[in-house]
Amino acid sequence: MEFRDVMLRRRMVREFSAEPVQSEVLDRVLEAGLHAPSAGFAQGLELIVLEGAEQLSEFWRITDPRGRKHSNDRPPPVVVVPLTDKSAYLKRYAEPDKQGLGMDVEEGWPVPYWDLDAAMSVMLMLLAAVDEGLGAWFFGIFHGESALLECLEAPEGLQPIGALALGHPAPGERRRGSATKRPRRELEDVVHLGGWA
Ligand SMILES: Cc1cc2nc3c(=O)[nH]c(=O)nc-3n(C[C@H](O)[C@H](O)[C@H](O)COP(=O)(O)O)c2cc1C
């Protein structure tokens, strides 16, 4: 698929068919996430992949106890939890070529690039999913973060930036969410040529 088509077709898909995602397709989507840029090429991202009734029901039980996100009967067959590893960035920026920037401590970072880089990886996976004919949905984890980390046996210090659901769109699935209620901003409203004018 042409890049522009992938970009324009991408939207969050929130209802999935029961069809499983083939492992080689899933691998290609996950692999796309490894092509994201990252500060100092620190690559402080880990991807936990949850599949199957046991893992997924545990994920939803912990993160969505009121069943608001998965209350529909068309849940995703795969959920990826991207975890950021801030310590990888602090370690990387303590290396000789980065010394003196003061970024070997968290306070030295003007922006938490571990989160930014993870978002870039997620974006690539969202696009790769479209390219593979899958639907994908990024959503926040607003509940049970520490219980989830414990359940996943994630090493200390790792943090989820949200979750990425993947699967085949359910028949009849249609756009939902905020994008159906709010217009996309126009280019001339967003772009400020030469300054704020
Ligand atoms: C950081 C971030 C958090 C989001 N959290 C949620 C969420 O918790 N639940 C949800 O249904 N959608 C969530 N979304 C999806 C947005 O609602 C969606 O991207 C936006 O409405 C634009 O629609 P589109 O992606 O379908 O074009 C999130 C998107 C981003 C980038």
Side-chain angles (χ1 to χ4, degrees), residues 31-59:
E31 213 260 338
L34 309 189
H35 289 272
S38 63
F41 211 28
Q43 306 172 77
L45 176 72
E46 309 292 331
L47 301 173
I48 297 201
V49 179
L50 303 176
E51 289 181 280
E54 198 181 319
Q55 294 178 359
L56 290 170
S57 61
E58 203 52 2
F59 172 82

mmCIF file of all heavy atoms in Angstrom, residues 31-59:
data_model
loop_
_atom_site.group_PDB
_atom_site.id
_atom_site.type_symbol
_atom_site.label_atom_id
_atom_site.label_comp_id
_atom_site.label_asym_id
_atom_site.label_seq_id
_atom_site.Cartn_x
_atom_site.Cartn_y
_atom_site.Cartn_z
ATOM 1 N N GLU A 31 7.753 -5.521 14.587
ATOM 2 C CA GLU A 31 9.076 -5.158 14.060
ATOM 3 C C GLU A 31 9.090 -3.712 13.562
ATOM 4 O O GLU A 31 10.098 -3.021 13.683
ATOM 5 C CB GLU A 31 9.423 -6.134 12.935
ATOM 6 C CG GLU A 31 10.893 -6.447 12.808
ATOM 7 C CD GLU A 31 11.552 -5.668 11.705
ATOM 8 O OE1 GLU A 31 10.805 -5.228 10.809
ATOM 9 O OE2 GLU A 31 12.779 -5.496 11.753
ATOM 10 N N ALA A 32 7.955 -3.263 13.022
ATOM 11 C CA ALA A 32 7.870 -1.870 12.565
ATOM 12 C C ALA A 32 8.185 -0.921 13.721
ATOM 13 O O ALA A 32 8.810 0.136 13.528
ATOM 14 C CB ALA A 32 6.468 -1.590 12.006
ATOM 15 N N GLY A 33 7.770 -1.314 14.912
ATOM 16 C CA GLY A 33 8.016 -0.467 16.086
ATOM 17 C C GLY A 33 9.487 -0.290 16.393
ATOM 18 O O GLY A 33 9.886 0.682 17.045
ATOM 19 N N LEU A 34 10.311 -1.213 15.919
ATOM 20 C CA LEU A 34 11.757 -1.133 16.187
ATOM 21 C C LEU A 34 12.452 -0.162 15.240
ATOM 22 O O LEU A 34 13.650 0.080 15.378
ATOM 23 C CB LEU A 34 12.417 -2.512 16.069
ATOM 24 C CG LEU A 34 11.777 -3.649 16.855
ATOM 25 C CD1 LEU A 34 12.669 -4.885 16.823
ATOM 26 C CD2 LEU A 34 11.518 -3.248 18.295
ATOM 27 N N HIS A 35 11.716 0.341 14.244
ATOM 28 C CA HIS A 35 12.321 1.270 13.296
ATOM 29 C C HIS A 35 12.078 2.726 13.668
ATOM 30 O O HIS A 35 12.388 3.633 12.897
ATOM 31 C CB HIS A 35 11.831 0.970 11.878
ATOM 32 C CG HIS A 35 12.420 -0.310 11.367
ATOM 33 N ND1 HIS A 35 13.639 -0.371 10.715
ATOM 34 C CD2 HIS A 35 12.004 -1.595 11.497
ATOM 35 C CE1 HIS A 35 13.920 -1.639 10.435
ATOM 36 N NE2 HIS A 35 12.950 -2.397 10.899
ATOM 37 N N ALA A 36 11.537 2.944 14.828
ATOM 38 C CA ALA A 36 11.305 4.321 15.283
ATOM 39 C C ALA A 36 12.632 4.972 15.651
ATOM 40 O O ALA A 36 13.564 4.285 16.073
ATOM 41 C CB ALA A 36 10.393 4.307 16.500
ATOM 42 N N PRO A 37 12.702 6.284 15.508
ATOM 43 C CA PRO A 37 13.883 6.981 16.033
ATOM 44 C C PRO A 37 13.843 6.961 17.563
ATOM 45 O O PRO A 37 12.770 6.799 18.148
ATOM 46 C CB PRO A 37 13.702 8.410 15.508
ATOM 47 C CG PRO A 37 12.235 8.561 15.281
ATOM 48 C CD PRO A 37 11.702 7.188 14.946
ATOM 49 N N SER A 38 15.004 7.114 18.178
ATOM 50 C CA SER A 38 15.016 7.257 19.644
ATOM 51 C C SER A 38 16.232 8.085 20.050
ATOM 52 O O SER A 38 17.272 8.013 19.395
ATOM 53 C CB SER A 38 15.029 5.885 20.337
ATOM 54 O OG SER A 38 16.196 5.157 20.037
ATOM 55 N N ALA A 39 16.052 8.853 21.101
ATOM 56 C CA ALA A 39 17.116 9.756 21.567
ATOM 57 C C ALA A 39 18.386 8.952 21.873
ATOM 58 O O ALA A 39 18.333 7.981 22.638
ATOM 59 C CB ALA A 39 16.651 10.494 22.813
ATOM 60 N N GLY A 40 19.480 9.353 21.246
ATOM 61 C CA GLY A 40 20.750 8.639 21.447
ATOM 62 C C GLY A 40 20.673 7.190 21.000
ATOM 63 O O GLY A 40 21.513 6.389 21.349
ATOM 64 N N PHE A 41 19.642 6.878 20.233
ATOM 65 C CA PHE A 41 19.335 5.496 19.832
ATOM 66 C C PHE A 41 19.310 4.589 21.067
ATOM 67 O O PHE A 41 19.765 3.445 21.031
ATOM 68 C CB PHE A 41 20.340 4.989 18.791
ATOM 69 C CG PHE A 41 19.728 3.980 17.832
ATOM 70 C CD1 PHE A 41 18.389 3.987 17.522
ATOM 71 C CD2 PHE A 41 20.524 3.012 17.227
ATOM 72 C CE1 PHE A 41 17.824 3.072 16.651
ATOM 73 C CE2 PHE A 41 19.977 2.083 16.350
ATOM 74 C CZ PHE A 41 18.623 2.111 16.063
ATOM 75 N N ALA A 42 18.752 5.139 22.136
ATOM 76 C CA ALA A 42 18.715 4.395 23.394
ATOM 77 C C ALA A 42 17.786 3.186 23.308
ATOM 78 O O ALA A 42 18.024 2.168 23.958
ATOM 79 C CB ALA A 42 18.269 5.317 24.527
ATOM 80 N N GLN A 43 16.702 3.312 22.520
ATOM 81 C CA GLN A 43 15.784 2.189 22.295
ATOM 82 C C GLN A 43 15.265 1.566 23.592
ATOM 83 O O GLN A 43 15.186 0.345 23.707
ATOM 84 C CB GLN A 43 16.460 1.110 21.432
ATOM 85 C CG GLN A 43 17.013 1.638 20.120
ATOM 86 C CD GLN A 43 17.833 0.602 19.376
ATOM 87 O OE1 GLN A 43 17.302 -0.309 18.752
ATOM 88 N NE2 GLN A 43 19.149 0.740 19.466
ATOM 89 N N GLY A 44 14.905 2.449 24.505
ATOM 90 C CA GLY A 44 14.432 1.952 25.805
ATOM 91 C C GLY A 44 12.965 1.579 25.779
ATOM 92 O O GLY A 44 12.149 2.174 26.489
ATOM 93 N N LEU A 45 12.632 0.616 24.967
ATOM 94 C CA LEU A 45 11.232 0.192 24.833
ATOM 95 C C LEU A 45 11.157 -1.322 24.899
ATOM 96 O O LEU A 45 11.975 -2.023 24.290
ATOM 97 C CB LEU A 45 10.685 0.665 23.476
ATOM 98 C CG LEU A 45 9.261 0.223 23.128
ATOM 99 C CD1 LEU A 45 8.242 0.976 23.975
ATOM 100 C CD2 LEU A 45 8.969 0.431 21.647
ATOM 101 N N GLU A 46 10.186 -1.813 25.650
ATOM 102 C CA GLU A 46 9.911 -3.251 25.700
ATOM 103 C C GLU A 46 8.455 -3.451 25.310
ATOM 104 O O GLU A 46 7.609 -2.601 25.633
ATOM 105 C CB GLU A 46 10.135 -3.798 27.131
ATOM 106 C CG GLU A 46 11.477 -3.431 27.754
ATOM 107 C CD GLU A 46 12.680 -4.085 27.090
ATOM 108 O OE1 GLU A 46 12.525 -5.194 26.543
ATOM 109 O OE2 GLU A 46 13.770 -3.488 27.107
ATOM 110 N N LEU A 47 8.167 -4.524 24.608
ATOM 111 C CA LEU A 47 6.795 -4.790 24.164
ATOM 112 C C LEU A 47 6.304 -6.095 24.775
ATOM 113 O O LEU A 47 6.873 -7.155 24.486
ATOM 114 C CB LEU A 47 6.745 -4.883 22.632
ATOM 115 C CG LEU A 47 7.219 -3.643 21.858
ATOM 116 C CD1 LEU A 47 7.269 -3.946 20.356
ATOM 117 C CD2 LEU A 47 6.307 -2.453 22.135
ATOM 118 N N ILE A 48 5.292 -6.017 25.600
ATOM 119 C CA ILE A 48 4.698 -7.239 26.150
ATOM 120 C C ILE A 48 3.468 -7.567 25.318
ATOM 121 O O ILE A 48 2.597 -6.712 25.126
ATOM 122 C CB ILE A 48 4.346 -7.061 27.640
ATOM 123 C CG1 ILE A 48 5.654 -6.811 28.404
ATOM 124 C CG2 ILE A 48 3.580 -8.273 28.156
ATOM 125 C CD1 ILE A 48 5.639 -7.090 29.856
ATOM 126 N N VAL A 49 3.437 -8.768 24.787
ATOM 127 C CA VAL A 49 2.347 -9.172 23.887
ATOM 128 C C VAL A 49 1.429 -10.144 24.635
ATOM 129 O O VAL A 49 1.888 -11.169 25.148
ATOM 130 C CB VAL A 49 2.925 -9.853 22.620
ATOM 131 C CG1 VAL A 49 1.794 -10.289 21.693
ATOM 132 C CG2 VAL A 49 3.871 -8.893 21.900
ATOM 133 N N LEU A 50 0.177 -9.792 24.686
ATOM 134 C CA LEU A 50 -0.816 -10.630 25.369
ATOM 135 C C LEU A 50 -1.780 -11.214 24.350
ATOM 136 O O LEU A 50 -2.337 -10.482 23.525
ATOM 137 C CB LEU A 50 -1.587 -9.795 26.396
ATOM 138 C CG LEU A 50 -0.728 -9.090 27.454
ATOM 139 C CD1 LEU A 50 -1.594 -8.215 28.345
ATOM 140 C CD2 LEU A 50 0.069 -10.094 28.274
ATOM 141 N N GLU A 51 -1.934 -12.517 24.415
ATOM 142 C CA GLU A 51 -2.828 -13.223 23.484
ATOM 143 C C GLU A 51 -3.524 -14.341 24.251
ATOM 144 O O GLU A 51 -2.989 -14.864 25.230
ATOM 145 C CB GLU A 51 -2.025 -13.869 22.349
ATOM 146 C CG GLU A 51 -1.435 -12.897 21.363
ATOM 147 C CD GLU A 51 -0.669 -13.632 20.261
ATOM 148 O OE1 GLU A 51 0.486 -14.024 20.524
ATOM 149 O OE2 GLU A 51 -1.218 -13.825 19.178
ATOM 150 N N GLY A 52 -4.668 -14.751 23.757
ATOM 151 C CA GLY A 52 -5.363 -15.883 24.369
ATOM 152 C C GLY A 52 -6.233 -15.423 25.523
ATOM 153 O O GLY A 52 -5.967 -14.405 26.175
ATOM 154 N N ALA A 53 -7.275 -16.224 25.785
ATOM 155 C CA ALA A 53 -8.301 -15.823 26.757
ATOM 156 C C ALA A 53 -7.713 -15.549 28.137
ATOM 157 O O ALA A 53 -8.092 -14.564 28.784
ATOM 158 C CB ALA A 53 -9.355 -16.915 26.850
ATOM 159 N N GLU A 54 -6.784 -16.379 28.566
ATOM 160 C CA GLU A 54 -6.290 -16.231 29.942
ATOM 161 C C GLU A 54 -5.554 -14.900 30.135
ATOM 162 O O GLU A 54 -5.843 -14.127 31.056
ATOM 163 C CB GLU A 54 -5.347 -17.396 30.252
ATOM 164 C CG GLU A 54 -5.112 -17.608 31.722
ATOM 165 C CD GLU A 54 -4.143 -18.752 31.963
ATOM 166 O OE1 GLU A 54 -4.242 -19.782 31.252
ATOM 167 O OE2 GLU A 54 -3.271 -18.597 32.812
ATOM 168 N N GLN A 55 -4.600 -14.632 29.240
ATOM 169 C CA GLN A 55 -3.802 -13.401 29.366
ATOM 170 C C GLN A 55 -4.672 -12.163 29.180
ATOM 171 O O GLN A 55 -4.536 -11.176 29.894
ATOM 172 C CB GLN A 55 -2.675 -13.396 28.331
ATOM 173 C CG GLN A 55 -1.657 -14.490 28.569
ATOM 174 C CD GLN A 55 -0.559 -14.526 27.512
ATOM 175 O OE1 GLN A 55 -0.554 -13.738 26.576
ATOM 176 N NE2 GLN A 55 0.366 -15.449 27.665
ATOM 177 N N LEU A 56 -5.573 -12.235 28.211
ATOM 178 C CA LEU A 56 -6.374 -11.044 27.900
ATOM 179 C C LEU A 56 -7.416 -10.774 28.973
ATOM 180 O O LEU A 56 -7.641 -9.612 29.344
ATOM 181 C CB LEU A 56 -7.018 -11.190 26.518
ATOM 182 C CG LEU A 56 -5.995 -11.113 25.371
ATOM 183 C CD1 LEU A 56 -6.629 -11.492 24.044
ATOM 184 C CD2 LEU A 56 -5.374 -9.724 25.286
ATOM 185 N N SER A 57 -8.022 -11.824 29.500
ATOM 186 C CA SER A 57 -9.040 -11.561 30.530
ATOM 187 C C SER A 57 -8.383 -10.980 31.770
ATOM 188 O O SER A 57 -8.952 -10.110 32.438
ATOM 189 C CB SER A 57 -9.870 -12.805 30.855
ATOM 190 O OG SER A 57 -9.025 -13.801 31.342
ATOM 191 N N GLU A 58 -7.170 -11.412 32.060
ATOM 192 C CA GLU A 58 -6.426 -10.853 33.188
ATOM 193 C C GLU A 58 -6.109 -9.361 32.933
ATOM 194 O O GLU A 58 -6.263 -8.524 33.815
ATOM 195 C CB GLU A 58 -5.130 -11.666 33.346
ATOM 196 C CG GLU A 58 -4.476 -11.665 34.687
ATOM 197 C CD GLU A 58 -5.367 -12.041 35.862
ATOM 198 O OE1 GLU A 58 -6.560 -12.367 35.690
ATOM 199 O OE2 GLU A 58 -4.860 -11.938 36.988
ATOM 200 N N PHE A 59 -5.686 -9.067 31.702
ATOM 201 C CA PHE A 59 -5.385 -7.671 31.347
ATOM 202 C C PHE A 59 -6.620 -6.784 31.549
ATOM 203 O O PHE A 59 -6.553 -5.737 32.184
ATOM 204 C CB PHE A 59 -4.901 -7.579 29.891
ATOM 205 C CG PHE A 59 -4.764 -6.164 29.400
ATOM 206 C CD1 PHE A 59 -3.634 -5.416 29.699
ATOM 207 C CD2 PHE A 59 -5.785 -5.565 28.661
ATOM 208 C CE1 PHE A 59 -3.515 -4.090 29.262
ATOM 209 C CE2 PHE A 59 -5.673 -4.248 28.228
ATOM 210 C CZ PHE A 59 -4.540 -3.518 28.520
#
